[in-house]
Amino acid sequence: MIIKLFNYITSNQKILFLSLVLFRCINSLLINTFFDPDEYWQSLEVAHKLVFGYGYLTWEWSEGLRSFIHPLIFVYLFKILKILNLDTTFFIIIGPKLLSGFLAAIGDLYLYKLTLSIFKSKESAKWALICQLISWYMFVCIVRTYSNSIETILFIISLYYFPINNNNENTINSKPKISIALTTFAFLIRPTTAIMWLYILPLHIFINLKSIKKILNFLIFDCLFIGLFCLFIGCFIDYIYYERFVFLPYNFLYINVLKNISSFYGTHPFHWYWSQGLPAIGFTILPLFLLSIRSLFIKKSDRFKLHLAWCTLFTVGFYSLLAHKEFRFILPILPIIMMYSGYYISTFTQLTTTTTTTKESKISYDPKSKPNMSTTLTSPPKLIILLLLLNLPMSIFFSNFHQRSPIDIMHYINSDIVPKIKDNGTISVDLLMSCHATPFQSYIHNENLILTLLECPPPLNENSPIDEKSLFYKNPLNFMNTQYKHIESNNNNNNNNNNNNNNNNNNNNNNNNNNKNLKPLPNYFIVEDELLDRLEPWLLKNSYRKEYHLKKPLDITSSTVFIRV
């Protein structure tokens, strides 16, 4: 029944696209977990700050390390909501989810079209799309507001318009200028997108362009002119928001690679992408990708279809050279894995041809009447179906259980703390957990709720101070005593004032100044549970009590809310 439904959906491209939009929008609303800080801090929080004037920007934006092109997508969304007086917390949260679902659906559609363009088989395209939709990592990540997600979508669309094959089979959709334009914008958003094209562009020049004239035309008119024009647009956008000229790709390369600042956030061994990263995100579909390479390589006439497969392996190998590694960095190549896996599955399916004759032709017996021919997709072996279905429990777990607490913190603040804010009053909440471990005002949208987090900018130079997060985790109690106006600090200051009125005025002044530098205690502390043993006695002593415990079954994260009484 599912196969029949999918055959109907893919029979018409408009129906297919609408179905994909519906699926991805539902997909986006089913994501209730926290996966990575950049989902919020490199997109939504930036857009919220630009439109509404309050929030928080991370260190990357002061150093000119990120392009405003990606947050601008959500800036326009927030501005529309603001103009329509729909800028409530509900729509500020739901709006970006639905927009991301819509954009992901465009990427899905172009993956279908790309597969059809390369393999000339609707069955391959259908199964590639099925793999894409059922992949647990795609389900969990592609609808998030990552820059990696928009990079992946732009990469798939640009591949569709790029002349990949060497035998001119895809000249109908070959529009290299569109491809180069999209790639340039993707490059400004994520400079690492250049890695894939370091393989694709030389390959195209070597295989498809047989004369110096064609090579020069491609490099000058397609690459140079279009690329520079799009670079100018991107740099102009960043100039408007940074209020100075910033060339993001250079800053990105200089800080993350040459200065190796990215290593501050963790390093992995060379083999990590091969031994853990790729197997984790490819999961049970990855063996189908490897088998498809073998299948196409055996057929010499089909080897030209392996260009993107080699590009995938080249990309993983190149990323392996970088010290800082994350699963989402290789997200752009995952649709390619789905495409080849779809081709491999289609080799097992039986194509059945159905013939229908119109009622009129039966009556007239017109020998010239032509029957309607259609092909339908039938089921592959049960083992392959099982491999695909194994992604479902992974999707459910990572979208609803894994690291749910950070999102539940925001929902708790909205439902239980924000309503307590009186007219023109404020409530303060300090988060004692890893920096950027939750969303911020993009999930609260209330300037009277004063959120404070532990900052963790990397050491950009030798004189950079130790960040707050490192100080806190090194000695949580000492951090609390030296950062907040707690009971003991007040008592010590009062005793010094009473006992040393005449003889120790200088010491008293120092104590008073030190006390003034301490932050006032907030109305709420939200503490990750791993720190409770060390911090709970201090909090209780300073007139706090447990208010709520944020913990869901199977969640590896949990937090406790403390309220000051």
Side-chain angles (χ1 to χ4, degrees), residues 67 69 180-181 183-189 223-239 245-250:
S67 174
I69 296 173
I180 296 299
T183 299
T184 305
F185 286 117
F187 173 69
L188 289 169
I189 295 171
C223 294
L224 189 62
F225 283 2
I226 299 300
L228 287 177
F229 178 71
C230 294
L231 276 175
F232 172 79
I233 294 174
C235 290
F236 181 71
I237 291 172
D238 289 324
Y239 176 80
F245 176 76
V246 176
F247 189 58
L248 277 303
Y250 170 78

Short mmCIF file of all heavy atoms in Angstrom, two decimals, residues 67 69 180-181 183-189 223-239 245-250:
data_model
loop_
_atom_site.label_atom_id
_atom_site.label_comp_id
_atom_site.label_asym_id
_atom_site.label_seq_id
_atom_site.Cartn_x
_atom_site.Cartn_y
_atom_site.Cartn_z
N SER A 67 28.77 34.71 8.07
CA SER A 67 28.05 35.58 7.14
C SER A 67 26.61 35.76 7.61
O SER A 67 25.99 34.85 8.15
CB SER A 67 28.06 34.98 5.74
OG SER A 67 27.25 35.73 4.87
N ILE A 69 24.22 36.12 5.61
CA ILE A 69 23.33 35.62 4.56
C ILE A 69 22.37 34.57 5.12
O ILE A 69 21.16 34.61 4.84
CB ILE A 69 24.14 35.03 3.39
CG1 ILE A 69 24.97 36.12 2.73
CG2 ILE A 69 23.22 34.36 2.37
CD1 ILE A 69 25.93 35.60 1.66
N ILE A 180 27.02 27.70 -10.23
CA ILE A 180 28.13 28.47 -9.65
C ILE A 180 27.60 29.54 -8.70
O ILE A 180 28.18 29.79 -7.63
CB ILE A 180 28.99 29.11 -10.76
CG1 ILE A 180 29.65 28.01 -11.62
CG2 ILE A 180 30.03 30.03 -10.17
CD1 ILE A 180 30.58 27.09 -10.85
N ALA A 181 26.49 30.17 -9.07
CA ALA A 181 25.90 31.20 -8.20
C ALA A 181 25.48 30.61 -6.86
O ALA A 181 25.79 31.17 -5.79
CB ALA A 181 24.70 31.85 -8.90
N THR A 183 26.54 27.86 -5.51
CA THR A 183 27.73 27.38 -4.82
C THR A 183 28.47 28.53 -4.14
O THR A 183 28.99 28.38 -3.03
CB THR A 183 28.67 26.67 -5.80
OG1 THR A 183 27.99 25.54 -6.38
CG2 THR A 183 29.93 26.18 -5.11
N THR A 184 28.50 29.69 -4.78
CA THR A 184 29.18 30.84 -4.20
C THR A 184 28.49 31.29 -2.91
O THR A 184 29.16 31.58 -1.90
CB THR A 184 29.21 32.01 -5.19
OG1 THR A 184 29.82 31.58 -6.41
CG2 THR A 184 30.00 33.19 -4.63
N PHE A 185 27.16 31.33 -2.92
CA PHE A 185 26.43 31.70 -1.71
C PHE A 185 26.62 30.65 -0.62
O PHE A 185 26.76 30.98 0.56
CB PHE A 185 24.95 31.92 -2.01
CG PHE A 185 24.67 33.21 -2.74
CD1 PHE A 185 24.13 33.21 -4.02
CD2 PHE A 185 24.97 34.42 -2.14
CE1 PHE A 185 23.88 34.40 -4.69
CE2 PHE A 185 24.72 35.63 -2.81
CZ PHE A 185 24.17 35.62 -4.08
N ALA A 186 26.63 29.39 -1.03
CA ALA A 186 26.89 28.32 -0.06
C ALA A 186 28.29 28.46 0.52
O ALA A 186 28.52 28.22 1.71
CB ALA A 186 26.73 26.95 -0.72
N PHE A 187 29.24 28.88 -0.33
CA PHE A 187 30.63 29.07 0.10
C PHE A 187 30.73 30.20 1.13
O PHE A 187 31.50 30.11 2.09
CB PHE A 187 31.49 29.37 -1.13
CG PHE A 187 32.90 29.75 -0.82
CD1 PHE A 187 33.80 28.83 -0.29
CD2 PHE A 187 33.36 31.05 -1.06
CE1 PHE A 187 35.11 29.18 0.00
CE2 PHE A 187 34.67 31.41 -0.78
CZ PHE A 187 35.54 30.47 -0.26
N LEU A 188 29.95 31.25 0.93
CA LEU A 188 29.96 32.36 1.89
C LEU A 188 29.34 31.95 3.22
O LEU A 188 29.76 32.40 4.28
CB LEU A 188 29.22 33.57 1.30
CG LEU A 188 29.93 34.29 0.16
CD1 LEU A 188 29.00 35.28 -0.52
CD2 LEU A 188 31.18 35.00 0.66
N ILE A 189 28.32 31.10 3.15
CA ILE A 189 27.67 30.62 4.38
C ILE A 189 28.56 29.61 5.09
O ILE A 189 28.75 29.68 6.31
CB ILE A 189 26.30 30.00 4.04
CG1 ILE A 189 25.35 31.07 3.51
CG2 ILE A 189 25.69 29.33 5.28
CD1 ILE A 189 24.05 30.52 2.94
N CYS A 223 32.51 30.74 -14.13
CA CYS A 223 33.06 30.74 -12.77
C CYS A 223 33.43 32.14 -12.28
O CYS A 223 32.94 32.60 -11.25
CB CYS A 223 34.28 29.82 -12.69
SG CYS A 223 33.90 28.08 -12.96
N LEU A 224 34.31 32.82 -13.03
CA LEU A 224 34.87 34.08 -12.55
C LEU A 224 33.81 35.18 -12.47
O LEU A 224 33.62 35.80 -11.41
CB LEU A 224 36.02 34.52 -13.46
CG LEU A 224 36.85 35.71 -12.96
CD1 LEU A 224 37.51 35.36 -11.63
CD2 LEU A 224 37.90 36.10 -14.00
N PHE A 225 33.11 35.45 -13.58
CA PHE A 225 32.14 36.54 -13.59
C PHE A 225 31.00 36.29 -12.61
O PHE A 225 30.67 37.15 -11.79
CB PHE A 225 31.58 36.74 -15.01
CG PHE A 225 32.52 37.45 -15.94
CD1 PHE A 225 33.78 37.85 -15.52
CD2 PHE A 225 32.16 37.73 -17.24
CE1 PHE A 225 34.66 38.51 -16.37
CE2 PHE A 225 33.02 38.39 -18.11
CZ PHE A 225 34.28 38.77 -17.67
N ILE A 226 30.40 35.11 -12.69
CA ILE A 226 29.27 34.80 -11.81
C ILE A 226 29.73 34.72 -10.36
O ILE A 226 29.07 35.24 -9.45
CB ILE A 226 28.59 33.48 -12.23
CG1 ILE A 226 28.05 33.58 -13.65
CG2 ILE A 226 27.48 33.11 -11.26
CD1 ILE A 226 27.01 34.66 -13.85
N GLY A 227 30.88 34.07 -10.15
CA GLY A 227 31.38 33.92 -8.78
C GLY A 227 31.69 35.26 -8.14
O GLY A 227 31.31 35.52 -6.99
N LEU A 228 32.37 36.13 -8.89
CA LEU A 228 32.71 37.45 -8.35
C LEU A 228 31.46 38.29 -8.09
O LEU A 228 31.39 39.03 -7.09
CB LEU A 228 33.65 38.19 -9.30
CG LEU A 228 35.09 37.67 -9.37
CD1 LEU A 228 35.89 38.44 -10.41
CD2 LEU A 228 35.77 37.78 -8.00
N PHE A 229 30.50 38.21 -8.99
CA PHE A 229 29.26 38.96 -8.81
C PHE A 229 28.54 38.53 -7.52
O PHE A 229 28.09 39.37 -6.73
CB PHE A 229 28.35 38.76 -10.02
CG PHE A 229 27.02 39.47 -9.90
CD1 PHE A 229 26.95 40.86 -9.97
CD2 PHE A 229 25.85 38.75 -9.71
CE1 PHE A 229 25.73 41.52 -9.86
CE2 PHE A 229 24.62 39.40 -9.59
CZ PHE A 229 24.57 40.79 -9.67
N CYS A 230 28.44 37.22 -7.30
CA CYS A 230 27.78 36.71 -6.10
C CYS A 230 28.60 37.01 -4.84
O CYS A 230 28.04 37.29 -3.78
CB CYS A 230 27.53 35.21 -6.22
SG CYS A 230 26.35 34.79 -7.52
N LEU A 231 29.94 36.95 -4.97
CA LEU A 231 30.80 37.33 -3.85
C LEU A 231 30.58 38.80 -3.47
O LEU A 231 30.54 39.15 -2.28
CB LEU A 231 32.27 37.11 -4.20
CG LEU A 231 32.84 35.71 -4.01
CD1 LEU A 231 34.27 35.66 -4.52
CD2 LEU A 231 32.79 35.27 -2.56
N PHE A 232 30.43 39.64 -4.48
CA PHE A 232 30.19 41.06 -4.22
C PHE A 232 28.87 41.24 -3.47
O PHE A 232 28.81 42.02 -2.49
CB PHE A 232 30.16 41.83 -5.54
CG PHE A 232 29.73 43.27 -5.39
CD1 PHE A 232 30.63 44.22 -4.92
CD2 PHE A 232 28.43 43.65 -5.68
CE1 PHE A 232 30.24 45.54 -4.76
CE2 PHE A 232 28.03 44.98 -5.52
CZ PHE A 232 28.94 45.93 -5.06
N ILE A 233 27.83 40.54 -3.90
CA ILE A 233 26.52 40.65 -3.21
C ILE A 233 26.65 40.19 -1.77
O ILE A 233 26.16 40.85 -0.84
CB ILE A 233 25.45 39.82 -3.96
CG1 ILE A 233 25.18 40.42 -5.34
CG2 ILE A 233 24.16 39.76 -3.14
CD1 ILE A 233 24.24 39.58 -6.18
N GLY A 234 27.31 39.05 -1.57
CA GLY A 234 27.46 38.52 -0.22
C GLY A 234 28.27 39.45 0.67
O GLY A 234 27.91 39.69 1.83
N CYS A 235 29.39 39.97 0.14
CA CYS A 235 30.22 40.89 0.92
C CYS A 235 29.49 42.19 1.22
O CYS A 235 29.67 42.79 2.30
CB CYS A 235 31.53 41.17 0.18
SG CYS A 235 32.65 39.75 0.10
N PHE A 236 28.66 42.63 0.28
CA PHE A 236 27.88 43.86 0.51
C PHE A 236 26.87 43.66 1.63
O PHE A 236 26.69 44.55 2.48
CB PHE A 236 27.18 44.26 -0.78
CG PHE A 236 26.37 45.54 -0.65
CD1 PHE A 236 27.02 46.76 -0.52
CD2 PHE A 236 24.98 45.50 -0.64
CE1 PHE A 236 26.28 47.94 -0.39
CE2 PHE A 236 24.25 46.66 -0.52
CZ PHE A 236 24.89 47.89 -0.39
N ILE A 237 26.22 42.49 1.65
CA ILE A 237 25.28 42.18 2.74
C ILE A 237 26.00 42.19 4.08
O ILE A 237 25.52 42.78 5.06
CB ILE A 237 24.61 40.81 2.48
CG1 ILE A 237 23.66 40.90 1.28
CG2 ILE A 237 23.84 40.34 3.73
CD1 ILE A 237 23.10 39.55 0.85
N ASP A 238 27.16 41.56 4.13
CA ASP A 238 27.91 41.52 5.38
C ASP A 238 28.44 42.90 5.77
O ASP A 238 28.52 43.23 6.96
CB ASP A 238 29.07 40.53 5.28
CG ASP A 238 28.59 39.08 5.25
OD1 ASP A 238 27.62 38.77 5.95
OD2 ASP A 238 29.19 38.27 4.52
N TYR A 239 28.77 43.73 4.76
CA TYR A 239 29.22 45.09 5.05
C TYR A 239 28.11 45.90 5.72
O TYR A 239 28.37 46.68 6.65
CB TYR A 239 29.67 45.77 3.75
CG TYR A 239 30.07 47.22 3.93
CD1 TYR A 239 31.33 47.55 4.42
CD2 TYR A 239 29.18 48.24 3.62
CE1 TYR A 239 31.69 48.87 4.60
CE2 TYR A 239 29.54 49.57 3.80
CZ TYR A 239 30.79 49.89 4.29
OH TYR A 239 31.14 51.19 4.48
N PHE A 245 34.15 46.31 6.07
CA PHE A 245 34.38 45.26 5.08
C PHE A 245 34.93 44.02 5.76
O PHE A 245 35.91 44.08 6.52
CB PHE A 245 35.37 45.72 4.00
CG PHE A 245 35.71 44.63 3.02
CD1 PHE A 245 34.81 44.26 2.04
CD2 PHE A 245 36.92 43.96 3.11
CE1 PHE A 245 35.11 43.24 1.14
CE2 PHE A 245 37.23 42.94 2.21
CZ PHE A 245 36.32 42.58 1.22
N VAL A 246 34.30 42.90 5.50
CA VAL A 246 34.70 41.62 6.07
C VAL A 246 34.67 40.57 4.97
O VAL A 246 33.63 40.42 4.29
CB VAL A 246 33.76 41.19 7.22
CG1 VAL A 246 34.15 39.82 7.74
CG2 VAL A 246 33.80 42.20 8.35
N PHE A 247 35.77 39.88 4.76
CA PHE A 247 35.77 38.77 3.80
C PHE A 247 35.73 37.48 4.61
O PHE A 247 36.74 37.01 5.13
CB PHE A 247 37.01 38.82 2.90
CG PHE A 247 36.96 37.84 1.77
CD1 PHE A 247 35.92 37.86 0.85
CD2 PHE A 247 37.94 36.88 1.62
CE1 PHE A 247 35.87 36.95 -0.19
CE2 PHE A 247 37.90 35.95 0.59
CZ PHE A 247 36.85 36.00 -0.31
N LEU A 248 34.53 36.94 4.74
CA LEU A 248 34.29 35.82 5.65
C LEU A 248 35.12 34.58 5.37
O LEU A 248 35.65 33.96 6.31
CB LEU A 248 32.79 35.46 5.65
CG LEU A 248 31.85 36.27 6.53
CD1 LEU A 248 32.28 36.24 7.98
CD2 LEU A 248 31.73 37.71 6.05
N PRO A 249 35.26 34.15 4.11
CA PRO A 249 36.06 32.93 3.87
C PRO A 249 37.48 33.03 4.41
O PRO A 249 38.01 32.06 4.96
CB PRO A 249 36.03 32.80 2.34
CG PRO A 249 34.75 33.47 1.94
CD PRO A 249 34.61 34.62 2.88
N TYR A 250 38.10 34.23 4.26
CA TYR A 250 39.47 34.39 4.77
C TYR A 250 39.48 34.30 6.30
O TYR A 250 40.33 33.62 6.89
CB TYR A 250 40.05 35.73 4.32
CG TYR A 250 41.35 36.05 5.03
CD1 TYR A 250 42.54 35.43 4.63
CD2 TYR A 250 41.38 36.94 6.10
CE1 TYR A 250 43.73 35.71 5.29
CE2 TYR A 250 42.57 37.22 6.76
CZ TYR A 250 43.74 36.59 6.35
OH TYR A 250 44.92 36.85 7.01
#
